[in-house]
Amino acid sequence: ILTHPMLFYMLGQFIYQITILLILLFAGHIIFGVNYKQRTLIHTYVFCTFVLLQVFNMFHARILDGSLN
């Protein structure tokens, strides 16, 4: 059931999301300028970013054949 373009899109989205989330998780205190001990705030930013990435993925995954809307 999985086609080559579907696997390509899934792998690309996985690499994109994991890269963004790991950067925010480990360097979020530098990027946002908060104290490293405020991990709750950094985790909130990571979660909100994860939700936005999922919304973007929902719109991106609608078309599987490479055509435009």
Side-chain angles (χ1 to χ4, degrees):
I1 294 184
L2 293 175
T3 62
H4 187 322
M6 289 171 67
L7 291 174
F8 178 72
Y9 289 143
M10 287 173 23
L11 181 64
Q13 191 68 23
F14 166 74
I15 291 172
Y16 174 70
Q17 285 189 10
I18 202 71
T19 302
I20 297 296
L21 292 175
L22 286 177
I23 288 172
L24 287 179
L25 186 62
F26 292 113
H29 63 283
I30 297 170
I31 295 170
F32 298 118
V34 297
N35 190 357
Y36 184 72
K37 296 186 184 223
Q38 296 176 331
R39 291 186 182 137
T40 307
L41 183 63
I42 295 171
H43 290 170
T44 303
Y45 288 151
V46 170
F47 177 74
C48 290
T49 304
F50 173 76
V51 170
L52 288 174
L53 288 173
Q54 292 304 312
V55 169
F56 174 74
N57 186 31
M58 181 177 64
F59 288 111
H60 179 69
R62 290 185 300 149
I63 298 173
L64 297 176
D65 60 355
S67 64
L68 299 175
N69 281 340

